[in-house]
Amino acid sequence: MVARARAGQPRAVARLISLVENGSPLLREIMARLCAERTTTARIIGLTGSPGVGKSTSTGMLVRAFREQGRRVGVLAVDPSSPFTGGALLGDRVRMQDHATDPGVFIRSMASRGHLGGLSWATPQALRVLEAAGCEVILVETVGVGQAEVDIASLADTTIVLLAPGMGDGVQAAKAGILEIADVFVVNKADRDGAQAAIRELRNMIALVARDWKPPIVPTVAYRGEGAQDVVGALDAHWSYLEESGELGRRRLARARDEIEAIALATLRSRFAHLHGDRRLDALARRMLDEGLDPYRAADELLAAVD
């Protein structure tokens, strides 16, 4: 299956990502093969912003722009999951039908499955699958949940934050959170009233932040494809900055560190999952109530017992 995915067969790529999402027992072997035979590293671009700013439409616009350059493109579009069924509308595919038959584009919608931060927990491993399939550029579109949606900054080489006129005022622009992670700002729906005011507010905010890289602000009208080349130019400029400054290596080292930590923590959580209702846990809880055992010491004893 890995060999077929490397040959660019969409069914194999889709199947591997499904195995990743479902936490298959084969996942360790899959990742071992993907990493051992890794030959290329894709350029990862994240797109985030509040619902309604046009993330999916902008993603489709960028897919078209990169395909015109002859690049193979992968898209991971994360949709919110139902808290009741775990399912997702996967509406991103509805807005990207223009690329559905292009063999140089692989689009995968992923349900967040309750994971906070705007991504799915399986996103890092899914990126490895798309890299193996020869994708030179991977666009990761987040759920669109608001100011706390900052996980993408630790996963992407370049993070695009999208805004639109009327989505907030100057106070919104100054708040901590999602606006602080931008490498490139895109003001979409720039044909609407208030676009220039939004750009001015962003410029004022950027002027107050001491950073080596000053995020450019690019106006677009994504549904008409206006501004696509300007966004690509801003992305290329940031890529050059990353390579020349050494920031690219630092970001990718941090990404690898975060991925290892996340897998280790997930393994630990799985080891502790069976302890709910365990007699050892009940005994420690009883000692806390009856003997004055403090919770930190109780936790230490539980850890020692599990090890």
Side-chain angles (χ1 to χ4, degrees):
M1 195 181 301
V2 170
R4 293 199 301 272
R6 288 192 180 281
Q9 296 184 17
R11 288 181 181 274
V13 176
R15 180 57 180 157
L16 285 176
I17 294 179
S18 293
L19 292 174
V20 167
E21 284 192 283
N22 296 327
S24 166
L26 295 173
L27 186 54
R28 286 179 176 270
E29 183 180 355
I30 291 169
M31 287 300 118
R33 288 177 180 269
L34 291 178
C35 292
E37 301 172 15
R38 193 177 188 184
T39 57
T40 60
T41 302
R43 181 175 165 187
I44 301 173
I45 299 169
L47 295 93
T48 189
S50 300
V53 297
K55 291 189 300 298
S56 296
T57 308
S58 296
T59 299
M61 178 184 72
L62 287 176
V63 170
R64 186 175 298 107
F66 283 121
R67 288 296 293 144
E68 288 174 356
Q69 296 178 352
R71 301 188 186 186
R72 186 171 176 82
V73 181
V75 177
L76 291 179
V78 184
D79 276 297
S81 301
S82 165
F84 303 104
T85 65
L89 176 61
L90 306 181
D92 302 278
R93 291 188 182 181
V94 176
R95 296 186 179 93
M96 297 184 199
Q97 287 301 307
D98 291 347
H99 309 290
T101 58
D102 186 344
V105 179
F106 184 91
I107 301 172
R108 175 65 177 239
S109 293
M110 301 175 70
S112 62
R113 302 193 181 190
H115 184 80
L116 301 178
L119 298 175
S120 164
W121 72 272
T123 304
Q125 285 75 46
L127 289 173
R128 293 187 183 279
V129 175
L130 291 182
E131 281 185 336
C135 292
E136 300 165 85
V137 177
I138 303 175
L139 304 173
V140 182
E141 180 193 331
T142 68
V143 167
V145 294
Q147 290 177 329
E149 189 182 323
V150 296
D151 281 4
I152 188 62
S154 63
L155 190 68
D157 299 317
T158 302
T159 301
I160 299 174
V161 172
L162 287 108
L163 302 98
M167 300 296 287
D169 55 14
V171 175
Q172 268 316 98
K175 285 184 178 179
I178 192 171
L179 293 181
E180 294 182 340
I181 68 173
D183 297 308
V184 175
F185 285 109
V186 170
V187 178
N188 191 32
K189 306 180 183 180
D191 54 342
R192 295 186 178 182
D193 291 340
Q196 291 305 313
I199 292 172
R200 283 196 302 270
E201 290 163 1
L202 283 173
R203 284 176 180 160
N204 291 337
M205 184 200 72
I206 293 170
L208 298 174
V209 180
R211 291 175 60 180
D212 292 336
W213 170 259
K214 294 293 184 181
I217 305 168
V218 184
T220 65
V221 184
Y223 79 95
R224 293 204 297 252
E226 295 179 10
Q229 294 306 319
D230 293 333
V231 177
V232 172
L235 293 172
D236 289 342
H238 185 251
W239 182 256
S240 296
Y241 161 76
L242 291 175
E243 291 185 316
E244 293 167 5
S245 66
E247 181 65 18
L248 180 62
R250 288 190 289 270
R251 289 192 180 194
R252 291 190 167 181
L253 179 62
R255 183 194 308 166
R257 187 171 60 239
D258 290 344
E259 186 176 358
I260 294 168
E261 182 180 355
I263 292 172
L265 289 174
T267 302
L268 287 174
R269 279 194 295 270
S270 68
R271 291 180 182 176
F272 278 88
H274 70 281
L275 288 176
H276 187 70
D278 188 277
R279 286 182 296 176
R280 290 172 294 180
L281 187 57
D282 290 342
L284 289 168
R286 179 58 58 188
R287 286 173 60 193
M288 278 184 60
L289 294 175
D290 298 342
E291 302 174 18
L293 177 68
D294 71 86
Y296 287 93
R297 184 177 172 188
D300 289 340
E301 291 189 24
L302 184 62
L303 286 169
V306 171
D307 288 342

